[in-house]
Amino acid sequence: MQNGKPARLYINEVATRDGFQMEGRFIPTADKVALIDRLGGLGYAKIEVTSFTSPKAIPALADGEAVMQRIQRAPGVVYTALIPNRRGAERALAAGVDEFNLVMSCSETHNLCNLRMTREQSFAQLAEVIALARAAAVPVNVSLSCVFGCPMEGEVEPATVMGWIARFAALGVAGITLCDTTGMAYPNQVQALCGQAIARQPALAITAHFHDTRAMGAVNTLAAIAAGIRRFDMSLGGIGGCPYAPGASGNVATEDIVHMLDCMGHDTGLDLAGLIEAAGALEALVQHPLPAQVSRAGVRLKRHLPPLDFEQIVARAQGRGAGG
Ligand code: COA
Ligand code: ZN
């Protein structure tokens, strides 16, 4: 029984990709690099550095090559990037990413809006990209968007999701990320879909990716752990969202979720104090308050002083005598 037992969890930081793609302000390249270098020392399994998308579609990440080339690689951290098509794969390869994170939606409507292709057109192009990656010995993960529902189509059938996972598995990918693009997932749905994916594809590394759009990100994380998921995407500060998914908002916040998981005895390998400090630096970069909560509230056992008149309160209580 995996439920409730402390587990070793592997965290992929997506703030500099999923987060920055949604920011109004272009974050200068040097600031992106400095943030990634800082995050590199905090214990992440992976960092999604950027995306190699069309600069017209995602202007915030138009500097993908420069960021990849300037970051310092921390030992043990996999530096990955999001890739939508062949052109993106060629750019990522030239920039020296450790892993390709391919993207496709399980919803036809969202795939058309986000990637300007039908799902079959995306799959055909990504199949070529997977062959390219194999020739270059670069591992491939596929992020499947909208697996728990689509903001335009509504429900997405689990059979549809399982079908796309199976087709990518047949091409030899190493991992699949189940993305809740607009926070439509709920806990028993998460447990069922994650459990089904693990049971059908035991050789794949399966990652869960939650957005907190409807305040279910933390419970969905616990449901995924209960189903056996050990890899999670999270975004520092809780920034993020897909600009081509109506109603999208931020990912689960790394520091909030890690704080919860630490309390529960799980091992994320992450330095919570370092995350909170890094979130302060991130807030200065994006120039708006972050949705995350633990940085503001402090950790669970942060001690506050009682009110200034506490001694009078005590004296008054004592004056009342026992049972007063
Ligand atoms: N990197 C850089 N430029 C790219 C590119 C890539 N990966 N893919 C296409 N382009 C360029 C082409 O060279 C072409 O340039 P030109 O106008 O100067 O000739 C232009 O973009 C249009 O190319 P086309 O293949 O017709 O792309 P499109 O307009 O149909 O857009 C995508 C398709 C996939 C490139 C685009 O929709 C995209 O980048 N989407 C990503 C969305 C995203 O990241 N969403 C959030 C994450 S889920
Ligand atoms: Zn996302």
Side-chain angles (χ1 to χ4, degrees):
M1 181 71 177
Q2 288 157 327
N3 212 346
K5 267 198 198 159
R8 175 66 167 104
L9 304 173
Y10 301 88
I11 311 304
N12 175 27
E13 176 58 56
V14 302
T16 56
R17 195 280 298 170
D18 205 328
F20 286 168
Q21 76 187 11
M22 197 66 167
E23 290 298 323
R25 173 176 185 257
F26 182 84
I27 310 298
T29 305
D31 290 334
K32 287 172 175 150
V33 171
L35 180 68
I36 293 164
D37 287 349
R38 175 177 199 149
L39 298 175
L42 298 182
Y44 287 101
K46 269 188 206 179
I47 298 176
E48 190 168 40
V49 172
T50 186
S51 73
F52 291 99
T53 45
S54 153
K56 285 181 196 138
I58 308 285
L61 303 179
D63 57 353
E65 279 87 354
V67 176
M68 265 316 299
Q69 281 154 10
R70 290 188 211 169
I71 54 171
Q72 285 182 10
R73 306 292 186 97
V77 181
V78 172
Y79 291 89
T80 185
L82 190 87
I83 294 167
N85 62 4
R86 202 180 303 111
R87 172 96 184 87
E90 288 159 1
R91 290 176 60 204
L93 212 52
V97 301
D98 296 335
E99 181 201 76
F100 283 2
N101 183 25
L102 309 186
V103 61
M104 194 191 116
S105 187
C106 283
S107 148
E108 185 77 356
T109 310
H110 179 246
N111 205 68
L112 282 162
C113 296
N114 194 37
L115 302 171
R116 317 276 152 181
M117 290 179 268
T118 65
R119 289 173 298 176
E120 287 299 342
Q121 287 166 341
S122 272
F123 184 78
Q125 198 160 150
L126 296 181
E128 286 180 31
V129 168
I130 292 164
L132 180 77
R134 182 174 300 115
V138 175
V140 176
N141 183 78
V142 181
S143 281
L144 292 175
S145 310
C146 296
V147 302
F148 298 102
C150 167
M152 291 165 284
E153 288 187 8
E155 293 292 1
V156 171
E157 291 305 319
T160 305
V161 179
M162 293 306 139
W164 288 111
I165 295 175
R167 288 179 70 181
F168 281 110
L171 298 181
V173 304
I176 293 281
T177 301
L178 300 173
C179 299
D180 181 23
T181 307
T182 59
M184 294 174 71
Y186 54 93
N188 42 347
Q189 179 197 28
V190 167
Q191 194 158 353
L193 197 74
C194 292
Q196 208 180 340
I198 292 170
R200 293 201 184 190
Q201 302 289 348
L204 284 181
I206 298 187
T207 301
H209 175 115
F210 295 118
H211 284 257
D212 203 29
T213 312
R214 293 177 177 80
M216 291 190 277
V219 285
N220 286 337
T221 301
L222 297 184
I225 293 173
I229 298 288
R230 295 293 177 264
R231 292 161 212 277
F232 290 90
D233 288 357
M234 299 176 193
S235 178
L236 194 69
I239 60 172
C242 174
Y244 300 100
S249 67
N251 293 70
V252 285
T254 313
E255 62 273 41
D256 289 352
I257 301 294
V258 167
H259 175 263
M260 172 185 77
L261 296 172
D262 277 1
C263 290
M264 296 175 73
H266 294 297
D267 176 12
T268 61
L270 281 162
D271 165 4
L272 180 60
L275 289 178
I276 291 173
E277 280 175 30
L282 174 66
E283 192 162 50
L285 289 185
V286 298
Q287 298 180 359
H288 62 75
L290 299 174
Q293 306 207 50
V294 166
S295 299
R296 264 196 303 279
V299 297
R300 177 177 162 261
L301 289 179
K302 173 186 166 183
R303 306 276 288 270
H304 295 265
L305 288 172
L308 286 174
D309 62 346
F310 185 63
E311 279 180 24
Q312 286 151 272
I313 295 171
V314 172
R316 192 157 166 263
Q318 284 169 344
R320 285 189 172 133

